[in-house]
Each structure stands twice: as C-alpha cells, then as structure tokens.
Amino acid sequence: MSSGNTERQIQFMQDLGATILCCTPSYAAYLGETVNEMGIDPADLKLKAGIFGAEPWTEEMRRSIEKSLGIKAFDIYGLTETSGPGVAFECSEQTGMHINEDNFIPEIINPDTGEVLPDGEVGELVFTSITKEAFPLLRYRTRDLCVLSRKKCSCGRTLIKMSKPMGRSDDMLIIRGVNVFPSQIETVLIAEGYAPNYIIEVDRVNNSDTLDIIVEMKPEQFSDKVKDMQDQERALALAIKTMLGINPKVHLVSPKSIARSEGKAVRVIDKRKLHD
Ligand SMILES: [Zn+2]
C-alpha cells in the first residue's frame, strides 16, 4: 500500500467531513502516522470516533490511535460465520463489548476439554445463533480466547460483556514451553516507546526454539552509532524477557521498513512449521 493512496484517503475524509472511521486498528494506526507526517492537526479533521476490529489490538494501541487521530476508538467484534460485524460492540465505558444476546447465546469453554467455564474465567468463546436463518450455528467455536462478565455496566445496558479477545486458541505460540501471545509483545513495545510495527519470527535451531523480534524504530529513535542501537536492542530484549520469561533476539530496523497493510497485519512467521 503506497502512502500516496493513504494521503488521498485522508484528503477524502477531510473533503467529505467524515466523522466516523471504520477499519482495522493497524490501518488506523497507519492513518494516524500519515496524518502526523502530512502536518495535519488531528483537531482539524472532523473525525469523532473510530470503530476498529478484525484483528487483535491492545489498550496501548487504542490510546496511541486516539491521540494520533484525536478520536475515541471503539472495539467491535464479529466473525464471518455469525453475521460479520455486529456480534458485540463497545459502549462509552470502553471496558469490553456488549454481546447482542437477543441474537447470539455466548459461552466460554475450556478449549482442551470443551467444559463450560463460569463467568470471569478465560476460555474459548462459543456462539449459538438464535435468529440466523439458512446458516444457523450451534455452539460454534470461535477460537478466540476471552472472558465474559455480567457485572453491571454503568452505561445502563444489561447485555453480557466480553473482554477484548486475548489471542486465539490456535495462534498462541508455544516457545520453549512458554505460552506466548503476540499481543503481550506488542504491549511491551508500546510501553517502551515503539510503534506497533513489528514482526515476530519463531524458528527451531538444534532442537531449541528461537524468538526473533524485528521492530521498526520511530525516526527519533534512530542513531547512526552502532553502540546506541545495540544498547536499545538490549534494553528492549530485557523488557520483553521480563514479560514473557524467555529471551528474545531484538532487531531494530529503520523507520518505514516494515510493510504496512490495509487489512489485517501479518505479525507472526512461525518457521518451525516448515520443518515439521
Ligand atoms: Zn456498557
């Protein structure tokens, strides 16, 4: 995706006075970055809110998008098999998404045993459709891991709330016996001042798993001194080790060198699958 195309989209939003933006969070982050580079004050856009979904994103990413575009960023959840978007949506509290229970019955199960878990426990989200015709779903396993809560929401809605999916039961990486979600790594990157532009590469060398994280620097983080770069890489590797309990190898790369995506970003390359 060329940045010229993105600049045109921002101009369209300005010309049409668009107030709501719907896309993937990674593309919203890219739009925010481009708005900044074009020297546009986010307050001059008419945008009020954004609805972002279709891929995992963190609270840190939400704050970064809200700041760069001057909007409130809301989470939406859905999947093609149910109805596409519209299964669950965040309210003004921004602390989870209310599920439209008049159309879907949600359950949380243990992904290994299929046992139904009580509210508040992490497990795989399962849906049964009540109103869908022609393509009904009975206890359909989403592979998304999350938590359901019936706690009273101050927005006034009484519909059950689901947490933001914490990962997928099938995209959790097991590296050297440790469960790793890409979202955990993203949380550390943003906390350490990096943009969420990264690639996680897992491989197996001499029967041992390796974890390489390629992270794009912001222009102000770049230095032409090799030692500065090595120090930054070491500091980031230590922060990630503290979170995950395993040692990664961090490779900082120059700004804009990781391809941006208009749709879902590809963040994980698991080369171990090639050897199996
Ligand atoms: Zn609410």
Side-chain angles (χ1 to χ4, degrees), residues 175-176 178 209-213 234 236-242 244-250:
I175 305 172
R176 289 174 228 153
V178 175
D209 293 335
T210 58
L211 170 62
D212 288 73
I213 306 171
R234 260 195 296 270
L236 185 52
L238 182 64
I240 293 168
K241 187 187 173 206
T242 306
L244 301 178
I246 49 174
N247 240 330
K249 211 179 259 168
V250 169

Side-chain angles (χ1 to χ4, degrees), residues 209-267:
D209 293 335
T210 58
L211 170 62
D212 288 73
I213 306 171
I214 297 122
V215 182
E216 199 181 277
M217 285 174 284
K218 292 179 181 169
E220 64 271 25
Q221 289 165 328
F222 181 75
S223 161
D224 51 11
K225 294 200 184 80
V226 175
K227 186 170 179 308
D228 288 353
M229 291 287 85
Q230 287 172 339
D231 287 347
Q232 283 194 59
E233 284 176 342
R234 260 195 296 270
L236 185 52
L238 182 64
I240 293 168
K241 187 187 173 206
T242 306
M243 162 73 106
L244 301 178
I246 49 174
N247 240 330
K249 211 179 259 168
V250 169
H251 311 265
L252 293 177
V253 295
S254 38
K256 297 265 165 193
S257 56
I258 294 178
R260 302 295 192 272
S261 149
E262 199 171 345
K264 302 187 190 196
V266 177
R267 309 264 196 222

Side-chain angles (χ1 to χ4, degrees), residues 27-254:
Y27 191 58
Y30 183 37
L31 284 171
E33 200 179 307
T34 311
V35 162
N36 190 313
E37 282 167 9
M38 289 167 78
I40 297 170
D41 180 350
D44 290 342
L45 292 172
K46 298 264 186 318
L47 281 180
K48 290 180 187 160
I51 299 165
F52 307 120
E55 66 181 8
W57 53 312
T58 55
E59 282 306 314
E60 289 76 12
M61 192 158 171
R62 184 207 302 268
R63 281 192 285 275
S64 142
I65 292 170
E66 288 188 328
K67 190 165 162 238
S68 68
L69 289 171
I71 58 172
K72 270 247 199 195
F74 294 99
D75 207 355
I76 187 171
Y77 179 88
L79 52 168
T80 313
E81 299 88 327
T82 54
S83 58
V87 176
F89 193 80
E90 232 173 18
C91 63
S92 52
E93 297 304 306
Q94 293 181 304
T95 52
M97 294 169 274
H98 290 283
I99 295 174
N100 292 317
E101 286 177 283
D102 45 348
N103 292 290
F104 303 100
I105 300 169
E107 293 171 277
I108 290 284
I109 63 163
N110 176 323
D112 297 324
T113 63
E115 171 204 2
V116 177
L117 299 175
D119 290 353
E121 285 196 26
V122 181
E124 182 177 334
L125 184 60
V126 171
F127 282 115
T128 296
S129 63
I130 311 171
T131 52
K132 210 160 177 272
E133 293 182 14
F135 194 115
L137 297 170
L138 292 174
R139 305 198 69 218
Y140 180 78
R141 293 184 61 167
T142 63
R143 303 281 168 198
D144 285 324
L145 297 173
C146 69
V147 176
L148 293 178
S149 166
R150 284 244 173 240
K151 275 195 203 123
K152 201 170 171 224
C153 185
S154 47
C155 78
R157 287 176 186 82
T158 52
L159 297 167
I160 199 167
K161 267 161 93 171
M162 62 179 273
S163 68
K164 183 187 276 301
M166 295 152 184
R168 288 178 57 78
S169 59
D170 56 358
D171 83 3
M172 181 181 80
L173 295 159
I174 302 178
I175 305 172
R176 289 174 228 153
V178 175
N179 296 348
V180 173
F181 287 105
S183 59
Q184 292 176 296
I185 295 174
E186 183 173 312
T187 300
V188 176
L189 293 184
I190 295 179
E192 296 292 311
Y194 293 87
N197 296 316
Y198 60 95
I199 293 171
I200 298 167
E201 268 186 21
V202 186
D203 204 350
R204 188 171 292 143
V205 180
N206 299 329
N207 289 322
S208 177
D209 293 335
T210 58
L211 170 62
D212 288 73
I213 306 171
I214 297 122
V215 182
E216 199 181 277
M217 285 174 284
K218 292 179 181 169
E220 64 271 25
Q221 289 165 328
F222 181 75
S223 161
D224 51 11
K225 294 200 184 80
V226 175
K227 186 170 179 308
D228 288 353
M229 291 287 85
Q230 287 172 339
D231 287 347
Q232 283 194 59
E233 284 176 342
R234 260 195 296 270
L236 185 52
L238 182 64
I240 293 168
K241 187 187 173 206
T242 306
M243 162 73 106
L244 301 178
I246 49 174
N247 240 330
K249 211 179 259 168
V250 169
H251 311 265
L252 293 177
V253 295
S254 38

